[in-house]
Amino acid sequence: MALRSARALLVMGLAVPGLPVSGLPVSGLPLPGLAATQDPEPPPAEFLGKLPEGGTVPMRLVFRKGLMLEARRLPKKFLLRKTEAPWIYFEDLSADGKKWALRAAFPDDVWSRDEVKHFVRHAELESVWLMASHFTGHGQNYDRLEALNPKNPEKLVAGDLWRIPRELLSKDLGGQGLAPDRSQPEDGLDDEARVKAYRALLSFDQDKEGKFAAYRLRKGEALWSSVVMRYTDRVDGKEVNRAAELIAKRSGIADVRSIQPGTTIRIPVDLLSDPFQLEGSQALKEEQEIREEVRRTPKLEAGPKLGGVRIVLDAGHGGRDKGAMANGLWESDFVYDIAMRTKRILEQDTEASVSSTILYPRLGFKTREDIKRPSDVAQILTTPPFPIDGESPTAVSVNLRWVLANDQFAEFVKKKGDPRKTIFLSFHADSLHPTARGTMIYVPGAASVPSTYGLAGSRAVRVKEMKASGRVSFSAREKVQGEARSRVFSELLLRELQKAKLPVHGNRAIRNVIHRDGKNFVPAAIRHNTAATKVLIEVANLTNEADVENLMDPAFREGYAEAVVRAVRAYYKKS
Ligand SMILES: [Zn+2]
C-alpha cells in the first residue's frame, strides 16, 4: 500500500540529520534522539489556516517536526484517514490537504506551473530538511534543494527565496515525487571488497582525546547509518543513538540536524569494528586471517538434490517468547512461517535431511497465509519436548536450540554423515535503528566463540540431549573454519536475496559480533553450535515499516524461503 510505504520512508528518514528524532508518533516508536547535544528548542509558531469554504484551522510549525494541524477542524477530504488524535502531522493529510496546508502556512509562497517559490517565514523553525520533507516528500532531498539554490545560506534567513522546481515536488503536490539518491559506489561489492572500500575511506589521526578514524560524510549519507552502523558493531536503536551522540560530540558537531556532505566525522578508535581497527592491531590481524580462510575454504559438492546434507532449521522464538516487537508486529510467528516454508521446499525438492528445532503443536509444521495474532504455545523438540511457556528463563530455550542441533549433528556423523555438510539456519527479525532495513546475517566471529562451554545450573534442563550434547569445545582452527564457512554461505544468501529483489542491509549485511551494553557477543544459537556452517539470519527490521509490510506478506515469506533454498544449493555446488 502506498500509504504505508510513504510512512515507512518518513520513518526511515527520521533518524537522518535534520529530521525530527524525538518521538514522532507516526510510527508509535519513541526514538531516543540527540537532545542532549541540542540547544533548547524554540517554541512552535502558532497560526490559523484559512479554509477555502470559510472558517479556520489552528496550525503549528514545530521545531524539527514540521507542520501540525488541529484534526477536528479539518474537512474530511483533507485527511488521509479517520483519526482520534487532536493534532496531526502534515504527512497525515491527503493530497488535497497537503496542497491547501502549505499554501495556508506559507501565504507568501508563489505556486506556478514550473515551480514553487518558497519564502522562508520562520527562520528559527524551518530547515532545508523540513522544506524538502514538506515539499518533496523526502527530507533527504535536502541536498537537491541546496544544489538548486546554491546562493542561499544553509542556515535559513527569513524572507530568503528558495525555488523548488515542479518535478521535485511530491506526487501529492503534483510533482514526480523523486526519491533521494542514496546509492554509493560500494553497493554492488561483496562483503570483503566492500569492507576494504569502506576502510579506504577512513584516515587515522589523533586529537587530545586520543586516536580516531576520520570519515568525510558523502552526499546522501547520515551519521546513524553510514557512520555508526557501518563502522561500529552497534545496530540497535539505543546503541546507535548513543554512539552517534558520542561521535557528534567528538567531531564538534553541535547541530546533528544539519551535517553537510563533506563534514569530517571523528570516530573514536575504540568504537570501530575489527575490520576498521588500526594497522598492526590484533583485531585487524584476526580479521585478515578470516578473510584468507574464506578464500581457502574448499567448495563442497552435494548435487542439486542436496544428498548427504544435514540441515537444522531454527525459528528463533516461539511460545511465550515472542521475540522483538514493533509496529504492531512480533517476531516469532513470522520467522516460524519462513522456517516452515524453507522446510517444505527442502523436503519437496531435495534429498537433504531436514529438521526443525521447534514446533507449534496447534499448527504443526504448516505454513500460513495470514498471521493474525501471536501463537503462545510452542516447544523445543528435545526428548521430552521442552515447552516455551515462560516457566524457565528464555535463555534455557535459546540454549536448547544448539544442544538439540548438536545432538542431531552428532547422530548424523555417527551414521557416517560428512560433518562438513552440516548446516544450521536460525531465522529472526530484529528491531534495529529504523533507518536500517533488509536482511542482516550473523556468523560466529572466531574471536568471540569460547573454546569450551557447558550448560549447568539454571540454564540446564533435564532433556535427553543435554547429557550427550550439553558441552562443546572448539579448537582455534575449528573456530576460524566455522566463521569462514558461515561467511561463504552468507555471501551466497545475500546474492540470492538481491537477485530476488529482497532487501538487504545497506552498509555491512554480514556481521560476526553484536555490541550491546558494553559487550561484544555472538548469538548463543550459533556460538556453541557444532554445525560446519551456522548463521543467524535477521530477515527484516521490525522498526522499519517497509520491512514490516514485507513480513506480513505471504508472497515475501515464500520468496524468502525460496532464496534460502537456492543459496543452500549454490553453497553445495562446486564452481
Ligand atoms: Zn530474534
Side-chain angles (χ1 to χ4, degrees):
M1 279 178 298
L3 158 64
R4 287 192 66 101
S5 312
R7 293 179 63 209
L9 285 168
L10 179 79
V11 173
M12 281 193 273
L14 245 184
V16 187
L19 207 82
V21 278
S22 55
L24 195 76
V26 173
S27 64
L29 177 86
L31 282 177
L34 294 161
T37 57
Q38 301 289 323
D39 297 330
E41 295 185 2
E46 308 206 348
F47 42 91
L48 294 171
K50 282 200 194 85
L51 286 168
E53 47 278 294
T56 56
V57 177
M59 297 174 78
R60 289 178 187 155
L61 182 64
V62 185
F63 181 63
R64 293 162 76 196
K65 292 187 174 142
L67 283 175
M68 298 190 73
L69 305 97
E70 197 176 327
R72 67 185 174 87
R73 303 277 201 97
L74 286 165
K76 231 185 259 153
K77 63 168 183 180
F78 281 2
L79 289 167
L80 208 47
R81 70 192 85 86
K82 254 183 88 170
T83 177
E84 299 292 315
W87 286 79
I88 60 160
Y89 284 92
F90 177 76
E91 287 75 17
D92 295 320
L93 295 171
S94 66
D96 283 343
K98 283 179 181 150
K99 284 180 199 141
W100 165 79
L102 285 175
R103 286 172 169 91
F106 304 109
D108 304 334
D109 288 6
V110 181
W111 293 65
S112 64
R113 236 184 45 155
D114 302 330
E115 61 173 3
V116 175
K117 290 193 176 103
H118 174 66
F119 292 93
V120 175
R121 195 174 174 87
H122 309 276
E124 70 293 357
L125 295 168
E126 290 184 53
S127 64
V128 186
W129 183 280
L130 276 183
M131 203 188 302
S133 173
H134 286 142
F135 286 91
T136 79
H138 299 281
Q140 288 192 39
N141 279 326
Y142 73 96
D143 51 356
R144 288 193 163 131
L145 286 187
E146 281 172 347
L148 288 161
N149 296 272
K151 296 224 172 79
N152 283 353
E154 62 185 67
K155 182 116 185 66
L156 299 187
V157 177
D160 268 4
L161 164 63
W162 285 75
R163 308 178 91 115
I164 308 163
R166 165 74 56 180
E167 61 267 21
L168 201 53
L169 293 178
S170 67
K171 284 205 174 118
D172 281 348
L173 300 178
Q176 293 177 2
L178 289 181
D181 176 16
R182 301 175 62 201
S183 62
Q184 296 296 2
E186 300 82 20
D187 290 354
L189 302 175
D190 69 17
D191 190 68
E192 183 179 6
R194 177 184 283 239
V195 164
K196 222 184 246 164
Y198 286 153
R199 186 178 173 90
L201 297 171
L202 298 177
S203 58
F204 291 87
D205 207 341
Q206 196 161 355
D207 60 17
K208 61 181 192 311
E209 290 175 65
K211 293 196 167 110
F212 63 85
Y215 178 73
R216 278 169 71 92
L217 208 64
R218 295 178 293 182
K219 198 180 139 200
E221 290 191 332
L223 188 60
W224 288 262
S225 45
S226 303
V227 177
V228 179
M229 278 191 271
R230 181 192 303 162
Y231 287 111
T232 84
D233 293 318
R234 288 141 184 87
V235 284
D236 76 47
K238 229 172 46 201
E239 297 281 350
V240 169
N241 279 333
R242 203 180 296 157
E245 252 178 79
L246 221 128
I247 290 169
K249 208 167 152 218
R250 177 71 173 266
S251 310
I253 294 165
D255 187 355
V256 291
R257 287 173 302 137
S258 58
I259 308 179
Q260 297 302 310
T263 302
T264 299
I265 311 286
R266 295 181 175 190
I267 315 165
V269 159
D270 60 337
L271 291 187
L272 292 169
S273 304
D274 286 359
F276 309 116
Q277 280 296 332
L278 293 167
E279 216 53 71
S281 64
Q282 182 63 22
L284 187 60
K285 212 179 113 220
E286 284 168 0
E287 159 80 14
Q288 284 158 351
E289 276 170 28
I290 293 291
R291 297 293 180 186
E292 271 160 39
E293 182 67 25
V294 166
R295 263 172 263 134
R296 274 199 300 267
T297 300
K299 284 278 268 177
L300 296 166
E301 176 72 51
K305 288 277 174 194
L306 298 174
V309 174
R310 181 70 178 92
I311 303 173
V312 176
L313 302 172
D314 174 54
H317 302 266
R320 284 304 187 78
D321 167 23
K322 310 242 177 315
M325 269 177 267
N327 281 316
L329 232 66
W330 62 102
E331 183 179 356
S332 55
D333 285 270
F334 296 88
V335 297
Y336 185 75
D337 192 62
I338 291 176
M340 292 308 109
R341 286 172 191 268
T342 308
K343 185 171 184 290
R344 189 200 69 223
I345 300 170
L346 284 168
E347 286 170 347
Q348 273 173 10
D349 299 353
T350 78
E351 289 156 11
S353 159
V354 186
S355 61
S356 167
T357 57
I358 182 171
L359 171 70
Y360 287 22
R362 286 179 191 155
L363 183 71
F365 293 130
K366 283 211 274 300
T367 62
R368 285 176 287 177
E369 291 300 287
D370 288 328
I371 300 173
K372 293 209 172 68
R373 62 192 70 81
S375 309
D376 54 7
V377 184
Q379 50 189 228
I380 302 289
L381 290 169
T382 45
T383 323
F386 177 83
I388 311 176
D389 54 10
E391 293 293 310
S392 313
T394 304
V396 175
S397 61
V398 171
N399 280 304
L400 281 181
R401 293 161 194 275
W402 63 260
V403 170
L404 172 61
N406 289 0
D407 203 68
Q408 294 176 342
F409 293 133
E411 185 71 24
F412 171 73
V413 173
K414 215 165 83 187
K415 290 181 179 156
K416 301 282 181 286
D418 182 346
R420 296 171 308 165
K421 290 182 182 169
T422 51
I423 180 166
F424 179 85
L425 307 177
S426 186
F427 294 91
H428 290 251
D430 43 18
S431 60
L432 302 183
H433 197 273
T435 50
R437 74 163 303 198
T439 290
M440 184 181 279
I441 308 174
Y442 288 99
V443 298
S448 310
V449 170
S451 298
T452 59
Y453 185 76
L455 281 174
S458 64
R459 283 167 186 262
V461 282
R462 250 176 257 230
V463 294
K464 185 178 139 263
E465 291 81 1
M466 184 67 73
K467 204 159 178 248
S469 305
R471 293 197 66 81
V472 271
S473 61
F474 297 103
S475 68
R477 181 91 201 104
E478 284 168 333
K479 289 192 238 176
V480 170
Q481 279 179 332
E483 178 173 355
R485 285 199 176 106
S486 305
R487 280 183 178 277
V488 174
F489 173 76
S490 302
E491 198 71 70
L492 292 169
L493 176 54
L494 292 179
R495 200 181 301 164
E496 289 302 331
L497 292 171
Q498 280 163 330
K499 273 197 233 161
K501 302 252 181 308
L502 301 173
V504 161
H505 184 79
N507 282 294
R508 277 189 297 136
I510 302 175
R511 307 260 168 166
N512 66 357
V513 69
I514 308 177
H515 183 98
R516 203 169 288 151
D517 300 325
K519 286 190 206 83
N520 284 330
F521 65 96
V522 171
I526 56 169
R527 184 170 66 220
H528 307 301
N529 203 298
T530 55
T533 306
K534 47 222 157 177
V535 295
L536 188 149
I537 307 165
E538 300 280 5
V539 171
N541 176 13
L542 292 180
T543 61
N544 181 290
E545 291 199 31
D547 269 15
V548 161
E549 186 90 346
N550 273 343
L551 264 190
M552 290 195 306
D553 180 0
F556 169 86
R557 300 196 296 272
E558 182 71 13
Y560 202 97
E562 285 167 0
V564 169
V565 174
R566 279 198 303 274
V568 174
R569 280 208 170 104
Y571 184 55
Y572 294 110
K573 185 179 170 206
K574 269 194 177 160
S575 74

